Amino acid sequence: MVTSKIISNGILRALATILVIAAILYFLYEIQTVIVYLCISLILCLIANPLVQFLKNKLKFSNSLAATTTIIIFILLMVGFILLFVPLIISQANNLSLLDTDHLQQQFFATERSIESYFNIQHVDLNKVLKESKITTAFGFGYFTSFINSIMGFMADMGMGLVSVFFITFFFIKDQEDFKAGAKRILPDSNEDKILNSITKINHLLTRYFIGLLLQLTVVFILYLIVLMVFGNKNALVIAFLCAILNIIPYIGPIIGTILAAILTMISLIGSDFQSEILPTTIYVVIGFLLVQAIDNNISQPIISSKSVNSHPLEIFLVTLISGITFGIVGMVIAIPVFTMLKVILKEFFPDNKIVSVLTEKI
């Protein structure tokens, strides 16, 4: 017989469960930065595994030496990636030093008048609009110092993040066998096969994903390079490489890359006629990049999302969107690998759950 005491106890247990879940979710939200660091380190560890195994098996390196060598290689690659853009920065700085602002302003106004005349648009005095809206007065010294402080804060956070990721990755690589053994001891012996199967499947799927991603970036890089070389960009190789790397960021990266390519193209053409050279060339480059993105979105990305990690493109889009809202750009980058890992783990440990079986039917 159901009594009021049983009902009240059930309500209290339900409330307690809700509170515990809410507390756990709040705690995870508060430490989201640490979670992102752990996820990035785990992904780097998976990427580094072939190199680590080569160092340990072929060159007979110890765990510590193999981990140290791998981290040094990662750091050198990062430094090399940064140094790759030094010539581009110097070149663009030299171009900016040649900028004749008065001549450029006259060319801009001439183009503006031509557009207004062609489309029969009433002239808009931008200077008057800016003065009336008081936009220019809003950017005072306080905003400038705030902007500088935000940049310094971003650089400090980035430095702290890199140190944390490399530190965690070092121990993931060095002690990964100990971590696996510890996981086996924590979980019941009956789950040992499930753990090993999960690790094997995760390594297989993520290896396929990273190979597919590398292939996608290579195709995008070649197409970007062709577009930039066709229109005579002097720094075509570096710009194409940078824009291809930005494609790692789903959806937002290609947009940023196109805008960046347009800006760098305009800067590289400083000194030329704005109306007859700078503007048309920039428009052609943007159109070329949009065509490359159309090819990438309709061919490369669907192959990677549906074939390499066995997930539906809509599924990938929703996961990436949620990760971006929650963890920002870094969350968007690691969304697919982390989601794939979770799907494999859920399939191994909860194969009879209806929701899990639907989500993981292709794995």
Side-chain angles (χ1 to χ4, degrees):
M1 181 179 180
V2 180
T3 63
S4 59
K5 183 177 181 181
I6 295 175
I7 295 174
S8 61
N9 287 337
I11 294 173
L12 289 175
R13 282 197 298 271
L15 290 175
T17 303
I18 293 172
L19 288 175
V20 170
I21 294 173
I24 293 173
L25 291 176
Y26 178 76
F27 176 72
L28 292 176
Y29 176 78
E30 288 294 318
I31 64 167
Q32 58 179 298
T33 303
V34 178
I35 296 174
V36 170
Y37 290 165
L38 289 171
C39 292
I40 295 175
S41 298
L42 184 58
I43 292 171
L44 289 177
C45 182
L46 290 172
I47 295 173
N49 261 336
L51 175 61
V52 173
Q53 295 304 319
F54 173 78
L55 294 175
K56 290 166 63 175
N57 297 332
K58 300 296 183 179
L59 302 182
K60 306 302 179 182
F61 280 20
S62 64
N63 288 341
S64 299
L65 184 58
T68 303
T69 304
T70 304
I71 295 298
I72 291 174
I73 291 174
F74 277 145
I75 294 174
L76 290 176
L77 288 174
M78 184 185 69
V79 172
F81 175 75
I82 295 173
L83 292 179
L84 180 65
F85 299 102
V86 172
L88 174 63
I89 296 172
I90 295 174
S91 173
Q92 302 306 321
N94 291 333
N95 289 332
L96 286 174
S97 67
L98 300 174
L99 179 62
D100 185 349
T101 55
D102 293 333
H103 180 62
L104 183 63
Q105 185 179 24
Q106 292 174 5
Q107 292 184 334
F108 176 79
F109 286 146
T111 304
E112 181 187 5
R113 287 192 295 270
S114 299
I115 294 173
E116 291 171 353
S117 176
Y118 183 80
F119 291 101
N120 195 22
I121 302 173
Q122 184 178 0
H123 177 70
V124 178
D125 190 344
L126 294 178
N127 290 328
K128 183 179 180 182
V129 172
L130 290 174
K131 289 179 180 178
E132 291 179 352
S133 61
K134 298 181 180 179
I135 293 177
T136 53
T137 59
F139 296 96
F141 184 75
Y143 285 93
F144 178 75
T145 55
S146 177
F147 176 71
I148 296 298
N149 289 334
S150 64
I151 292 177
M152 296 298 293
F154 173 78
M155 296 298 293
D157 292 339
M158 181 65 70
M160 183 63 185
L162 288 174
V163 172
S164 301
V165 167
F166 284 136
F167 185 80
I168 296 170
T169 304
F170 172 80
F171 286 102
F172 273 0
I173 296 173
K174 174 179 174 292
D175 300 323
Q176 57 180 308
E177 297 299 328
D178 294 336
F179 290 142
K180 293 177 183 178
K184 292 179 182 179
R185 288 196 298 269
I186 292 173
L187 296 173
D189 293 337
S190 58
N191 291 323
E192 182 173 338
D193 291 337
K194 294 180 180 179
I195 296 172
L196 294 176
N197 289 336
S198 297
I199 294 173
T200 302
K201 288 183 179 179
I202 287 172
N203 280 328
H204 175 65
L205 288 174
L206 290 186
T207 299
R208 288 175 56 187
Y209 170 73
F210 288 120
I211 291 174
L213 182 61
L214 180 61
L215 178 62
Q216 177 200 357
L217 296 181
T218 303
V219 171
V220 170
F221 165 72
I222 293 173
L223 294 176
Y224 280 163
L225 182 61
I226 292 173
V227 171
L228 292 171
M229 290 182 67
V230 165
F231 297 107
N233 196 300
K234 298 178 182 178
N235 298 295
L237 183 67
V238 180
I239 296 174
F241 181 75
L242 176 59
C243 294
I245 292 296
L246 287 171
N247 264 48
I248 293 177
I249 306 173
Y251 310 113
I252 297 178
I255 298 174
I256 298 174
T258 302
I259 296 173
L260 183 62
I263 294 173
L264 293 177
T265 300
M266 293 183 72
I267 294 175
S268 66
L269 293 172
I270 285 177
S272 304
D273 184 73
F274 179 81
Q275 189 170 356
S276 63
E277 293 187 39
I278 297 179
L279 184 60
T281 304
T282 303
I283 292 174
Y284 294 148
V285 168
V286 170
I287 293 174
F289 270 53
L290 292 177
L291 290 175
V292 172
Q293 291 168 22
I295 295 172
D296 180 49
N297 292 333
N298 291 285
I299 299 177
S300 304
Q301 287 188 6
I303 291 175
I304 290 176
S305 61
S306 60
K307 302 296 182 181
S308 62
V309 295
N310 297 328
S311 295
H312 193 277
L314 179 59
E315 191 178 2
I316 295 297
F317 173 76
L318 292 176
V319 170
T320 304
L321 181 63
I322 294 171
S323 299
I325 294 173
T326 307
F327 298 108
I329 291 178
V330 176
M332 297 179 73
V333 173
I334 67 174
I336 298 177
V338 173
F339 180 61
T340 302
M341 294 166 60
L342 290 176
K343 286 176 65 175
V344 171
I345 294 171
L346 289 173
K347 184 177 180 64
E348 287 295 327
F349 286 90
F350 307 101
D352 298 327
N353 185 282
K354 292 183 178 179
I355 297 177
V356 172
S357 63
V358 171
L359 290 174
T360 61
E361 61 181 352
K362 293 184 179 180
I363 295 181

